[in-house]
Amino acid sequence: MSTPQSSLHSAFAVLDSGRELRTARAEVETKAPERTSALPRSEREHCDVVDIIPAIVWSALPDGSNVYVNSRFVEYSGMSAEQLAGSGWHAATHPDDLQRHERKWLACVRTCEVFEDEVRFRRADGQYRWHLQRGVPLRDEDGNILKWYGVLTDIEDRKRAEEKIQEQEIELRQILDLVSSTDCCIRTQPGASLRKSQRARVPWHESG
Protein backbone atom coordinates (compact mmCIF):
# COMPACT_ATOMS: atom_id res chain seq x y z
CA MET A 1 0.00 0.00 0.00
CA SER A 2 1.49 3.31 -1.00
CA THR A 3 1.98 6.07 1.53
CA PRO A 4 1.37 9.77 0.83
CA GLN A 5 5.17 10.24 0.85
CA SER A 6 5.76 7.55 -1.78
CA SER A 7 2.95 8.92 -3.93
CA LEU A 8 4.54 12.34 -3.78
CA HIS A 9 7.89 10.91 -4.82
CA SER A 10 6.22 9.15 -7.75
CA ALA A 11 4.53 12.36 -8.82
CA PHE A 12 7.83 14.26 -8.77
CA ALA A 13 9.51 11.44 -10.71
CA VAL A 14 6.88 11.68 -13.41
CA LEU A 15 7.26 15.44 -13.55
CA ASP A 16 11.05 15.15 -13.75
CA SER A 17 10.74 12.53 -16.45
CA GLY A 18 8.40 14.74 -18.44
CA ARG A 19 10.69 17.73 -17.99
CA GLU A 20 13.71 15.73 -19.22
CA LEU A 21 11.72 14.54 -22.22
CA ARG A 22 10.71 18.11 -23.12
CA THR A 23 14.30 19.28 -22.68
CA ALA A 24 15.62 16.47 -24.90
CA ARG A 25 12.99 17.23 -27.54
CA ALA A 26 13.90 20.92 -27.44
CA GLU A 27 17.58 20.08 -27.90
CA VAL A 28 16.81 17.88 -30.88
CA GLU A 29 14.62 20.56 -32.44
CA THR A 30 17.35 23.13 -31.88
CA LYS A 31 20.28 21.05 -33.15
CA ALA A 32 18.54 19.54 -36.17
CA PRO A 33 18.40 22.83 -38.11
CA GLU A 34 22.01 23.50 -37.08
CA ARG A 35 23.10 20.18 -38.58
CA THR A 36 20.99 20.78 -41.67
CA SER A 37 22.42 24.25 -42.20
CA ALA A 38 25.93 22.95 -41.52
CA LEU A 39 25.80 20.70 -44.60
CA PRO A 40 25.42 23.47 -47.20
CA ARG A 41 28.00 25.50 -45.27
CA SER A 42 30.38 22.53 -45.42
CA GLU A 43 29.77 22.18 -49.14
CA ARG A 44 30.40 25.90 -49.65
CA GLU A 45 33.66 25.63 -47.71
CA HIS A 46 34.63 22.64 -49.84
CA CYS A 47 33.95 24.64 -53.02
CA ASP A 48 35.98 27.55 -51.67
CA VAL A 49 38.95 25.24 -51.12
CA VAL A 50 38.60 23.69 -54.59
CA ASP A 51 38.43 27.14 -56.19
CA ILE A 52 41.92 28.06 -54.98
CA ILE A 53 43.50 24.92 -56.48
CA PRO A 54 45.60 25.95 -59.54
CA ALA A 55 43.78 23.47 -61.78
CA ILE A 56 40.38 23.00 -63.37
CA VAL A 57 38.23 20.71 -61.21
CA TRP A 58 34.85 19.21 -62.11
CA SER A 59 32.33 16.68 -60.86
CA ALA A 60 29.58 14.71 -62.57
CA LEU A 61 26.63 12.50 -61.69
CA PRO A 62 26.83 8.72 -62.14
CA ASP A 63 25.25 9.14 -65.60
CA GLY A 64 28.10 11.43 -66.66
CA SER A 65 26.25 14.74 -66.67
CA ASN A 66 28.27 17.64 -65.28
CA VAL A 67 27.10 19.18 -62.00
CA TYR A 68 30.07 21.29 -60.95
CA VAL A 69 33.09 23.16 -62.30
CA ASN A 70 35.32 25.35 -60.18
CA SER A 71 35.91 29.02 -60.88
CA ARG A 72 39.09 28.22 -62.84
CA PHE A 73 37.10 26.70 -65.70
CA VAL A 74 34.52 29.49 -65.56
CA GLU A 75 37.33 32.03 -65.95
CA TYR A 76 39.10 29.97 -68.61
CA SER A 77 36.07 29.31 -70.82
CA GLY A 78 34.23 32.57 -70.25
CA MET A 79 31.08 30.52 -69.63
CA SER A 80 29.03 30.38 -66.43
CA ALA A 81 28.73 27.26 -64.28
CA GLU A 82 25.09 27.03 -65.36
CA GLN A 83 26.07 27.11 -69.03
CA LEU A 84 28.63 24.34 -68.47
CA ALA A 85 26.23 22.11 -66.49
CA GLY A 86 24.83 18.89 -67.93
CA SER A 87 26.28 18.63 -71.43
CA GLY A 88 26.86 22.38 -71.73
CA TRP A 89 30.62 21.82 -71.73
CA HIS A 90 30.24 20.53 -75.30
CA ALA A 91 30.11 24.16 -76.45
CA ALA A 92 33.66 24.70 -75.13
CA THR A 93 35.07 21.53 -76.73
CA HIS A 94 36.88 21.57 -80.07
CA PRO A 95 34.50 20.28 -82.79
CA ASP A 96 37.13 17.83 -84.06
CA ASP A 97 37.54 16.34 -80.57
CA LEU A 98 33.98 16.35 -79.27
CA GLN A 99 32.59 13.11 -80.71
CA ARG A 100 35.70 11.05 -79.90
CA HIS A 101 36.03 12.57 -76.43
CA GLU A 102 32.38 12.12 -75.45
CA ARG A 103 32.32 8.55 -76.78
CA LYS A 104 35.32 7.66 -74.62
CA TRP A 105 33.84 9.45 -71.58
CA LEU A 106 30.47 7.68 -71.82
CA ALA A 107 32.23 4.33 -72.31
CA CYS A 108 34.06 4.88 -69.00
CA VAL A 109 30.79 5.90 -67.35
CA ARG A 110 29.24 2.59 -68.45
CA THR A 111 32.22 0.43 -67.46
CA CYS A 112 33.08 2.47 -64.32
CA GLU A 113 36.72 2.64 -65.42
CA VAL A 114 39.05 5.54 -64.70
CA PHE A 115 38.76 8.14 -67.46
CA GLU A 116 41.73 9.75 -69.20
CA ASP A 117 41.86 11.61 -72.49
CA GLU A 118 43.51 14.51 -74.29
CA VAL A 119 41.11 17.13 -75.62
CA ARG A 120 41.08 20.77 -76.74
CA PHE A 121 38.94 23.28 -74.86
CA ARG A 122 38.20 26.80 -76.03
CA ARG A 123 39.58 29.65 -73.98
CA ALA A 124 37.60 32.85 -73.40
CA ASP A 125 39.60 34.58 -76.16
CA GLY A 126 38.59 31.91 -78.68
CA GLN A 127 41.87 29.97 -78.69
CA TYR A 128 41.71 26.21 -78.23
CA ARG A 129 44.29 24.67 -75.95
CA TRP A 130 45.11 21.02 -75.31
CA HIS A 131 44.20 19.58 -71.90
CA LEU A 132 44.73 16.23 -70.24
CA GLN A 133 41.46 15.23 -68.59
CA ARG A 134 41.28 12.62 -65.83
CA GLY A 135 38.21 11.41 -63.96
CA VAL A 136 37.75 8.88 -61.17
CA PRO A 137 34.51 7.52 -59.65
CA LEU A 138 33.60 7.92 -55.99
CA ARG A 139 31.88 4.76 -54.73
CA ASP A 140 29.79 3.85 -51.72
CA GLU A 141 30.37 0.82 -49.51
CA ASP A 142 28.53 -1.42 -51.98
CA GLY A 143 30.65 -0.26 -54.92
CA ASN A 144 27.95 1.91 -56.48
CA ILE A 145 29.17 5.13 -58.06
CA LEU A 146 28.00 8.23 -56.18
CA LYS A 147 29.80 10.82 -58.28
CA TRP A 148 32.67 11.37 -60.68
CA TYR A 149 35.49 13.78 -59.84
CA GLY A 150 38.08 14.99 -62.29
CA VAL A 151 40.73 17.54 -63.19
CA LEU A 152 41.86 19.25 -66.38
CA THR A 153 45.56 20.01 -66.88
CA ASP A 154 46.78 22.35 -69.61
CA ILE A 155 49.29 20.47 -71.81
CA GLU A 156 49.42 22.89 -74.74
CA ASP A 157 53.17 23.54 -74.39
CA ARG A 158 53.88 19.81 -74.24
CA LYS A 159 51.78 19.16 -77.33
CA ARG A 160 53.58 21.95 -79.20
CA ALA A 161 56.94 20.45 -78.28
CA GLU A 162 55.79 16.98 -79.41
CA GLU A 163 54.55 18.39 -82.74
CA LYS A 164 57.90 20.17 -83.27
CA ILE A 165 59.81 16.93 -82.65
CA GLN A 166 57.54 15.07 -85.08
CA GLU A 167 58.09 17.75 -87.74
CA GLN A 168 61.86 17.50 -87.31
CA GLU A 169 61.72 13.71 -87.58
CA ILE A 170 59.70 13.97 -90.80
CA GLU A 171 62.18 16.49 -92.28
CA LEU A 172 65.13 14.26 -91.34
CA ARG A 173 63.44 11.25 -92.92
CA GLN A 174 62.80 13.21 -96.11
CA ILE A 175 66.46 14.31 -96.28
CA LEU A 176 67.69 10.75 -95.77
CA ASP A 177 65.29 9.47 -98.44
CA LEU A 178 66.51 12.17 -100.85
CA VAL A 179 70.18 11.34 -100.22
CA SER A 180 69.51 7.64 -100.66
CA SER A 181 67.59 8.11 -103.94
CA THR A 182 70.24 10.49 -105.32
CA ASP A 183 73.04 8.03 -104.55
CA CYS A 184 71.03 5.26 -106.16
CA CYS A 185 70.54 7.32 -109.36
CA ILE A 186 74.26 8.08 -109.63
CA ARG A 187 75.18 4.39 -109.28
CA THR A 188 72.67 3.29 -111.91
CA GLN A 189 73.50 5.86 -114.62
CA PRO A 190 74.85 4.28 -117.90
CA GLY A 191 78.67 4.46 -118.17
CA ALA A 192 79.06 5.56 -114.57
CA SER A 193 81.04 2.44 -113.66
CA LEU A 194 83.20 2.75 -116.78
CA ARG A 195 84.05 6.36 -116.05
CA LYS A 196 84.86 5.45 -112.47
CA SER A 197 87.26 2.70 -113.60
CA GLN A 198 88.87 4.99 -116.19
CA ARG A 199 89.49 7.65 -113.59
CA ALA A 200 90.98 5.02 -111.37
CA ARG A 201 93.42 3.85 -114.11
CA VAL A 202 94.69 7.26 -115.19
CA PRO A 203 97.36 7.59 -112.44
CA TRP A 204 98.65 4.10 -113.26
CA HIS A 205 99.16 4.93 -117.00
CA GLU A 206 100.93 8.17 -116.19
CA SER A 207 103.27 6.46 -113.79
CA GLY A 208 104.17 3.92 -116.51
Side-chain angles (χ1 to χ4, degrees), residues 62-98:
D63 65 359
S65 57
N66 178 269
V67 291
Y68 171 78
V69 290
N70 68 342
S71 60
R72 295 279 178 175
F73 197 41
V74 171
E75 295 169 2
Y76 173 86
S77 65
M79 301 172 64
S80 67
E82 291 74 19
Q83 290 174 315
L84 292 164
S87 60
W89 55 271
H90 289 182
T93 310
H94 196 289
D96 294 343
D97 300 343
L98 178 58

Side-chain angles (χ1 to χ4, degrees), residues 25-147:
R25 184 183 295 113
E27 289 179 356
V28 169
E29 291 174 351
T30 301
K31 291 180 179 179
E34 291 178 357
R35 292 194 186 100
T36 304
S37 62
L39 182 59
R41 184 166 61 248
S42 175
E43 289 179 353
R44 287 195 299 271
E45 291 173 354
H46 172 73
C47 291
D48 290 341
V49 171
V50 171
D51 276 340
I52 65 174
I53 296 175
I56 294 173
V57 180
W58 56 266
S59 67
L61 296 175
D63 65 359
S65 57
N66 178 269
V67 291
Y68 171 78
V69 290
N70 68 342
S71 60
R72 295 279 178 175
F73 197 41
V74 171
E75 295 169 2
Y76 173 86
S77 65
M79 301 172 64
S80 67
E82 291 74 19
Q83 290 174 315
L84 292 164
S87 60
W89 55 271
H90 289 182
T93 310
H94 196 289
D96 294 343
D97 300 343
L98 178 58
Q99 187 175 1
R100 168 191 57 78
H101 182 68
E102 186 179 24
R103 190 188 307 116
K104 188 172 183 178
W105 163 235
L106 293 178
C108 289
V109 168
R110 285 193 301 271
T111 59
C112 305
E113 296 177 352
V114 173
F115 174 64
E116 183 172 314
D117 194 25
E118 295 180 358
V119 59
R120 286 168 288 184
F121 282 110
R122 187 185 64 234
R123 202 165 59 183
D125 62 3
Q127 179 187 355
Y128 285 94
R129 293 181 64 86
W130 281 100
H131 288 78
L132 174 63
Q133 181 160 217
R134 292 191 177 99
V136 294
L138 174 67
R139 302 173 184 271
D140 62 15
E141 294 178 354
D142 297 324
N144 301 311
I145 293 181
L146 301 174
K147 257 185 181 180

